[in-house]
Amino acid sequence: TFSALLAHGLAADETKQVALLDIDICGPSIPKMMGLEGEQVHQSGSGWSPVYVEENLGVMSVGFLLSSPDDAVIWRGPKKNGLIKQFLRDVDWGEVDYLIVDTPPGTSDEHLSIVQYLSATHIDGAVIVTTPQEVSLQDVRKEINFCRKVKLPIIGVVENMSGFVCPKCKNESQIFPPTTGGAEKMCQNLNVSLLGKVPLDPQIGKSCDRGQSFLAEAPESPATLSYRNIIQSESENHCANESPRFRALLQYAKGLNRLVLLCHK
């Protein structure tokens, strides 16, 4: 969800070319969320052509290669790694400003492969997405440790599903109570920046199921405002450090959290 909304948010600037690559090989959900379910990949002389949501937002996913969205992909590591390499090497992305890579939960083959294959691109770092409860934070601490072991800089943490604001009475409830202090306390303990908190909004799930941009459908939602603040902050940070080579922003998550990779030219 964060990958899809990040792509929509960056593509709102029509002067930027955004690419979204889904390497969640066994559970590709990006085609559904981007409204591209049923689309197919086309081969050209310069490689595979991405499927476009807008003129400046292209998407590639293993979901486009399946005959049905219900088909199971039962692959071992080497075959997954081969497809990831092919996505990076053979897809004709053209000139892009941002490459966002959505990966499955965990710290396994896909994560090791994408970090290895893009090691020469000077990855900016990881943005780690968590939810407030301790069960989620336990997994995220492992991901922070993974990033440090593979020498992947950590840009910061986003706390997703951070409270629920009632649309009628405007009172806030904690659906996932931060019993150990949530992401804020974890960031203090591990010396990591907290980039923002995104509250729950049922409209997010509805928009994703319809393949629409939540940011466009609910522009006044507190969650939209949080997303836009995070996206604007990261965009400004990358523009301030712009270089002629690709750099990447990895976003990790476990369970409700996922790994995203953003390359900025």
Side-chain angles (χ1 to χ4, degrees):
T1 305
F2 196 92
S3 303
L5 293 177
L6 178 62
H8 278 301
L10 291 171
D13 181 351
E14 296 180 356
T15 66
K16 301 296 183 184
Q17 290 293 322
V18 180
L20 177 57
L21 173 58
D22 180 10
I23 62 168
D24 190 344
I25 307 299
C26 295
S29 54
I30 289 297
K32 176 75 171 179
M33 292 184 179
M34 302 302 286
L36 300 174
E37 203 169 39
E39 296 287 344
Q40 295 182 338
V41 173
H42 298 284
Q43 182 83 30
S44 68
S46 54
W48 286 348
S49 298
V51 180
Y52 283 88
V53 182
E54 305 286 349
E55 288 187 1
N56 67 329
L57 175 54
V59 179
M60 179 57 69
S61 169
V62 69
F64 299 141
L65 307 177
L66 304 178
S67 58
S68 165
D70 296 330
D71 285 350
V73 179
I74 308 172
W75 289 357
R76 295 186 184 275
K79 196 167 183 179
K80 291 181 182 179
N81 297 341
L83 182 62
I84 292 171
K85 183 180 289 187
Q86 192 170 5
F87 277 157
L88 293 172
R89 182 189 61 199
D90 296 344
V91 175
D92 182 18
W93 294 107
E95 292 291 329
V96 299
D97 297 288
Y98 297 97
L99 173 62
I100 305 169
V101 181
D102 180 56
T103 79
T107 55
S108 56
D109 292 326
E110 292 89 341
H111 315 90
L112 291 168
S113 295
I114 199 71
V115 171
Q116 177 186 350
Y117 295 152
L118 293 175
S119 60
T121 64
H122 304 294
I123 297 172
D124 281 328
V127 173
I128 301 169
V129 182
T130 185
T131 48
Q133 73 275 30
E134 177 60 23
V135 170
S136 179
L137 295 173
Q138 283 184 342
D139 291 329
V140 167
R141 291 187 190 98
K142 295 180 179 68
E143 289 154 4
I144 291 174
N145 187 35
F146 170 86
C147 292
R148 288 174 172 167
K149 283 187 174 181
V150 298
K151 302 188 185 322
L152 182 65
I154 299 170
I155 293 176
V157 172
V158 174
E159 185 176 85
N160 203 10
M161 304 186 182
S162 182
F164 170 71
V165 179
C166 176
K168 293 186 178 180
C169 69
K170 305 302 180 184
N171 287 331
E172 183 173 350
S173 302
Q174 295 297 327
I175 308 298
F176 300 103
T179 54
T180 57
E184 188 168 0
K185 181 66 174 177
M186 181 192 69
C187 289
Q188 292 173 359
N189 292 340
L190 298 178
N191 194 28
V192 177
S193 299
L194 179 64
L195 300 178
K197 298 182 179 182
V198 180
L200 278 164
D201 190 325
Q203 182 63 40
I204 296 176
K206 294 177 182 178
S207 296
C208 288
D209 282 349
R210 291 196 302 266
Q212 301 295 319
S213 169
F214 165 74
L215 305 180
E217 290 197 324
E220 301 304 321
S221 166
T224 296
L225 299 179
S226 296
Y227 271 114
R228 292 202 182 281
N229 287 336
I230 294 168
I231 292 169
Q232 181 179 356
S233 173
E234 287 307 308
S235 180
E236 290 175 351
N237 177 61
H238 293 312
C239 287
N241 298 291
E242 189 169 351
S243 77
R245 300 194 62 179
F246 279 108
R247 292 197 301 265
L249 170 72
L250 281 172
Q251 173 188 342
Y252 268 94
K254 174 73 173 179
L256 293 172
N257 317 318
R258 303 172 80 78
L259 169 67
V260 175
L261 179 85
L262 164 67
C263 290
H264 178 225
K265 181 184 176 185

